[in-house]
Amino acid sequence: MSNTQFTPSITSRPVYPGLTSLGNVPAIMIADASGQEALKELAAADSSVMDQAHVLLVTTSPALADKLQDLRPASIETVSDLDAAVPSFERLLSTAKMGTQLYLAGSEGLIGFFSARALGSGLPQEAIQSEHRGPISRRMQCVHCKGVTEDVTTDPFTCSHCGLTLFVRDHFSRRLGVFQGVCVDAEVPGEVPETEEIQP
Amino acid sequence: MISKLNLKVVEIEDLSPLVKRFRFEDPDKAALPVFSGGAHVSVEMPDGEMLRHNSYSLISDPYDATGYEIAVRREDQGRGGSKFMHEKVAVGDILKLSMPANLFQLDLRAKKHVLIGGGIGITPFLSQMRQLEMHGQAYELHYATHSREEAAGLALLPEAAHIHVHISEDGSRMDLGAMLADQPLGCHVYTCGPEGLIAAVAEQAAMLGWPATSVHSEAFTAPPPGAPFEVTIASTGQVVPVAANQSLLEALEAASVVVDYSCRGGGCGRCETTVTSCDGDIEHNDFWLSKEERAEKKKIMPCMSRFKGLALVLDL
Ligand code: FES
């Protein structure tokens, strides 16, 4: 499996060009179970990329961390979900210096979630690399109630906070790291198009 | 086109043997437009037959509408603009200044600002520093100069832990590598001074993995003098002579040929002029045109650049 190819869309839609090693420089790497494959390939291409890399692995399976340990990163930590990764990530960011690279690999939700936090801490956009691996589910924000629904795979979908039926847009908020969902039957309540699987 | 301010010189102070500070105020004490840190004004200098303009960074408080201040270093090898300021301008004189314009703004999204001024390149940072203080933004300033005697900036810099003075004569050289290696995320660096310093900072930052968008510089200087030459105006056939100590832009203005401008230092792009034909070489002294554009000889920046050769025709 390799980097997912998405259909070209509006400028707002993030693109994930894939990871390329910048060599032995200070780095933070975050991956989920699918994304850790991309980290392995990155290290296979240039093992020095791991010398100063702090890895956060978002997974419920600790066995994956053991495998990554073989790549000899500077440190590695396993966390169960995105929110659980925040304290460690913020700690790494607070001591990081200009020149630090952020490598993100995995779902769109993961990439958006950590990009937004990194940008908020002042990490320049140009220092963030990303590669999409695994399912193409999205983190969607309801533009009406502002609640975020995780792992959305269908269009339209039901907002997990306010219950509105939302249309999945490619409009993305970099600041929040979420796609925007807009009420699909605002004109004629109840007139809802057929539900489809989200396509890449 | 560009509106001008007629301002009175109210103070002249020697900051060093080579640098003088000038303060301008409205003759009727009217409030002047406030500006942003890093802004410059261009000063008109009527010197006999010749009308010269030089641009200078404003060094006063950007939010102070009672006056503008600049610091002028005497360049004896220059066209005579700075010499005019030093020798012919007296307290009480009225000079024409352009409205402040800014080609060297702070990026206010930065978490921290590192300001590096070499020699007279300290000037834009004096106003930026006040703006940063006012907004409580984190910054550090490095002022590098050859000798204590020449250090005009010393008189204008407060003593503070985040203000660093490097005097090479005293052996305290700036260590760019160490300075840039230890900056927090979201830091931006700004350099003004000799081209060598600007290039060194850019190179060091790139080596440490700073993206180019976090690295800023201002290199604009006064137009250099050179050998006299002539240009021809395509629309009228008029031939305009350019004297040794005159810029092409000043010569065009003297001949009533209208060219738009702003910085007069080769940095803003406003004066870009199309070349109809060029039999010779353009001395591109600007910071605007790309390498490719220079090689093509289809564009010239009259505020800074000169010509050597048989004939230059401008599409004016
Ligand atoms: S006036 Fe700014 S580049 Fe010539």
Side-chain angles (χ1 to χ4, degrees), chain A residues 83 86 89-90 93 112-123 139 174-176:
Chain A
D83 285 321
V86 171
F89 185 48
E90 309 247 284
L93 287 174
F113 184 87
F114 292 108
S115 297
R117 276 176 175 69
L119 292 173
S121 300
L123 190 89
R139 290 182 80 220
R174 272 197 205 180
R175 185 175 61 86
L176 303 168

Side-chain angles (χ1 to χ4, degrees), chain B residues 40-100:
Chain B
H40 66 270
V41 287
S42 103
V43 181
E44 277 190 17
M45 300 178 267
D47 189 6
E49 292 280 275
M50 196 102 62
L51 184 63
R52 288 200 201 84
H53 295 70
N54 272 5
S55 291
Y56 297 104
S57 298
L58 290 164
I59 62 169
S60 44
D61 184 340
Y63 300 106
D64 177 7
T66 66
Y68 292 157
E69 296 184 19
I70 59 173
V72 180
R73 183 187 146 95
R74 203 179 74 216
E75 307 287 353
D76 288 327
Q77 309 309 320
R79 289 165 312 140
S82 62
K83 248 170 126 173
F84 173 87
M85 291 298 292
H86 272 248
E87 289 166 8
K88 307 255 171 80
V89 175
V91 168
D93 287 359
I94 302 280
L95 289 182
K96 254 194 183 51
L97 271 67
S98 70
M99 294 286 236

Side-chain angles (χ1 to χ4, degrees), chain B:
Chain B
M1 227 166 71
I2 287 175
S3 57
K4 298 275 178 172
L5 301 160
N6 283 302
L7 301 182
K8 186 156 122 192
V9 178
V10 295
E11 275 171 42
I12 302 178
E13 180 197 4
D14 286 323
L15 295 176
S16 79
L18 286 179
V19 179
K20 279 189 201 295
R21 177 181 68 89
F22 295 82
R23 181 177 171 83
F24 299 91
E25 288 178 5
D26 182 89
D28 302 318
K29 300 269 177 215
L32 302 178
V34 293
F35 53 98
S36 53
H40 66 270
V41 287
S42 103
V43 181
E44 277 190 17
M45 300 178 267
D47 189 6
E49 292 280 275
M50 196 102 62
L51 184 63
R52 288 200 201 84
H53 295 70
N54 272 5
S55 291
Y56 297 104
S57 298
L58 290 164
I59 62 169
S60 44
D61 184 340
Y63 300 106
D64 177 7
T66 66
Y68 292 157
E69 296 184 19
I70 59 173
V72 180
R73 183 187 146 95
R74 203 179 74 216
E75 307 287 353
D76 288 327
Q77 309 309 320
R79 289 165 312 140
S82 62
K83 248 170 126 173
F84 173 87
M85 291 298 292
H86 272 248
E87 289 166 8
K88 307 255 171 80
V89 175
V91 168
D93 287 359
I94 302 280
L95 289 182
K96 254 194 183 51
L97 271 67
S98 70
M99 294 286 236
N102 200 341
L103 294 172
F104 195 40
Q105 272 148 332
L106 294 164
D107 188 328
L108 294 173
R109 294 165 302 180
K111 301 281 177 193
K112 181 182 173 184
H113 307 262
V114 174
L115 317 176
I116 304 176
I120 194 67
I122 187 67
T123 50
F125 299 125
L126 296 168
S127 62
Q128 288 188 343
M129 207 173 71
R130 294 173 197 246
Q131 184 179 343
L132 292 169
E133 296 274 353
M134 173 93 167
H135 292 281
Q137 292 217 7
Y139 76 95
E140 63 185 57
L141 179 140
H142 297 266
Y143 172 41
T145 169
H146 291 302
S147 66
R148 201 158 273 278
E149 206 206 348
E150 272 186 41
L154 283 184
L156 302 167
L157 289 170
E159 271 197 44
H162 58 287
I163 311 272
H164 308 269
V165 178
H166 309 265
I167 299 178
S168 48
E169 201 183 57
D170 294 359
S172 78
R173 284 184 162 267
M174 212 160 29
D175 181 352
L176 293 176
M179 267 160 58
L180 295 179
D182 198 30
Q183 297 301 341
L185 296 185
C187 186
H188 283 237
V189 63
Y190 308 77
T191 314
C192 182
E195 274 179 70
L197 177 66
I198 292 173
V201 172
E203 198 178 303
Q204 192 59 247
M207 231 165 67
L208 290 166
W210 291 49
T213 46
S214 308
V215 181
H216 315 267
S217 65
E218 181 169 69
F220 82 74
T221 44
F229 61 98
E230 280 177 359
V231 293
T232 307
I233 307 305
S235 61
T236 58
Q238 188 184 355
V239 175
V240 178
V242 185
N245 57 355
Q246 192 180 33
S247 73
L248 171 54
L249 179 59
E250 287 163 353
L252 292 169
E253 286 167 339
S256 307
V257 180
V258 176
V259 180
D260 198 8
Y261 69 86
S262 170
C263 71
R264 306 190 76 104
C268 74
R270 273 282 266 287
C271 68
E272 188 178 288
T273 301
T274 304
V275 170
T276 309
S277 69
C278 169
D279 184 0
D281 283 313
I282 298 175
E283 296 169 5
H284 292 287
N285 298 317
D286 60 278
F287 309 96
W288 177 258
L289 297 176
S290 68
K291 245 206 188 118
E292 295 73 43
E293 286 172 318
R294 286 164 188 240
E296 277 175 19
K297 299 190 200 173
K298 295 227 171 85
K299 300 264 183 232
I300 186 169
M301 311 305 288
C303 67
M304 286 294 279
S305 301
R306 307 183 71 85
F307 172 72
K308 243 194 202 121
L310 292 175
L312 177 67
V313 184
L314 299 181
D315 182 19
L316 287 171

